[in-house]
Amino acid sequence: MRTTLSTLKSMHQSGEKIACLTAYDASFAHWLDQAGVDMILVGDSLGMVVQGHATTLPVTLDEMVYHAQMVQRGNQRAWCIADLPFMSDSSVEKALEAATRLMKEGGANMVKLEGGERVLNIVAQLSSLGIPVCGHLGLLPQSVEKKGYKVVGRDRSSAEKLLKEALALQAHGVDMLVLECVPSALAQTVTEALSIPVIGIGAGSGTSGQVLVLHDILGLTVGKSPMFAKNFLEDTDSIQKAITAYVHEVKAGYFPASNHEISL
Ligand code: KIV
């Protein structure tokens, strides 16, 4: 049976952890789906791990649509989220056009966009038109040139700002929120303050679920993997078993362990 938004909301309410991984093509999407991943993210991280760019900024909307199409050919059941790439959400009109393409042509079930205050009107508009939206706060890869790759929310004022933005995003209609590179205690506070599922990446174990970049869990990342990621292929002998182990560890609450958490 296909995973729907209401399946994910019920999982969140009953305390079942949501397991998500990125995928960018049909074969990996198939194996993620077979392993019981609840959600597949067609992330604009593909700019780095597939295309070899230094950041996610060069990724185009056409490329996102192309990768979403491939993923959805391999995926039967998992909920599929696709990223709005850099600057495709620079106005309400552009975001609406981009989200429409990702859903109509790419077959995505939900779109994700980065930011707080800046995207509130966009979220309200997309949501009022029936488009499921996922917010993204904390470290924002599309703002890397301005803000760098840094933990967000270590000091009191940035922690308060993040909580305020999370509540505002929910009030404007996001159905889910990704928190990236945030101290575990803050991620847990945000998760408890919201009624929607909160999915963490480098945000500790107190969120409703976890997402990681596929290449990080398979040890394929060129250069250094983030400290919050784990190579699941190290302890097994196949990609399929590594993905299954990730799903199992997320669901059982074994991942992330304390050595993958960011403290205050
Ligand atoms: O693009 C991506 O893979 C993402 C994750 C880092 C959450 O947005």
Side-chain angles (χ1 to χ4, degrees):
M1 213 167 59
R2 268 212 169 264
T3 303
T4 64
L5 197 50
S6 67
T7 322
L8 296 163
K9 286 186 173 167
S10 307
M11 286 171 71
H12 166 61
Q13 274 152 17
S14 68
E16 184 185 342
K17 296 280 184 188
I18 298 169
C20 179
L21 281 172
T22 65
Y24 318 100
D25 67 31
S27 307
F28 275 112
H30 171 82
W31 293 116
L32 262 57
D33 191 36
Q34 290 286 306
V37 161
D38 302 301
M39 307 194 296
I40 297 178
L41 170 64
V42 186
D44 61 358
S45 50
L46 69 88
M48 300 168 80
V49 299
V50 178
Q51 298 175 331
H53 293 296
T55 71
T56 61
L57 273 56
V59 177
T60 66
L61 180 59
D62 283 344
E63 289 163 351
M64 289 304 301
V65 169
Y66 172 66
H67 284 276
Q69 286 170 338
M70 288 193 273
V71 163
Q72 287 298 61
R73 277 181 217 126
N75 171 33
Q76 297 296 311
R77 180 201 43 83
W79 180 254
C80 175
I81 310 170
D83 271 337
L84 291 178
F86 182 57
M87 285 300 151
S88 68
D89 60 0
S90 57
S91 68
V92 173
E93 294 69 30
K94 283 183 84 175
L96 190 51
E97 195 188 315
T100 305
R101 285 199 61 201
L102 286 170
M103 292 182 76
K104 272 192 158 179
E105 295 173 44
N109 304 115
M110 174 180 244
V111 297
K112 176 165 81 59
L113 79 179
E114 297 183 10
E117 192 71 38
R118 178 188 77 81
V119 301
L120 293 180
N121 286 341
I122 297 171
V123 167
Q125 186 66 20
L126 296 181
S127 174
S128 73
L129 289 164
I131 298 174
V133 184
C134 179
H136 185 151
L137 291 175
L139 189 158
L140 305 179
Q142 291 177 11
S143 302
V144 65
E145 299 291 6
K146 198 169 164 75
K147 298 185 177 157
Y149 291 113
K150 285 199 191 109
V151 176
V152 175
R154 273 211 164 113
D155 61 278
R156 194 173 159 163
S157 78
S158 65
E160 284 173 359
K161 180 167 177 267
L162 190 138
L163 176 59
K164 210 171 129 201
E165 288 185 322
L167 289 164
L169 282 170
Q170 175 175 267
H172 281 74
V174 295
D175 302 284
M176 193 178 289
L177 179 68
V178 164
L179 283 184
E180 180 165 359
C181 259
V182 167
S184 309
L186 174 60
Q188 182 156 354
T189 302
V190 172
T191 305
E192 285 166 4
L194 300 188
S195 57
I196 54 170
V198 175
I199 310 300
I201 170 161
S205 55
T207 54
S208 330
Q210 301 292 325
V211 57
L212 281 179
V213 169
L214 181 65
H215 291 56
D216 287 337
I217 76 148
L218 298 179
L220 295 174
T221 304
V222 178
K224 209 167 160 262
S225 273
M227 60 70 66
F228 55 74
K230 174 177 168 183
N231 179 350
F232 284 83
L233 194 56
E234 236 162 32
D235 299 326
T236 185
D237 58 7
S238 81
I239 285 173
Q240 287 88 341
K241 285 184 198 159
I243 299 166
T244 305
Y246 168 78
V247 175
H248 170 70
E249 290 203 17
V250 168
K251 300 260 175 211
Y254 302 149
F255 179 82
S258 52
N259 60 324
H260 302 114
E261 302 211 354
I262 296 169
S263 56
L264 275 173

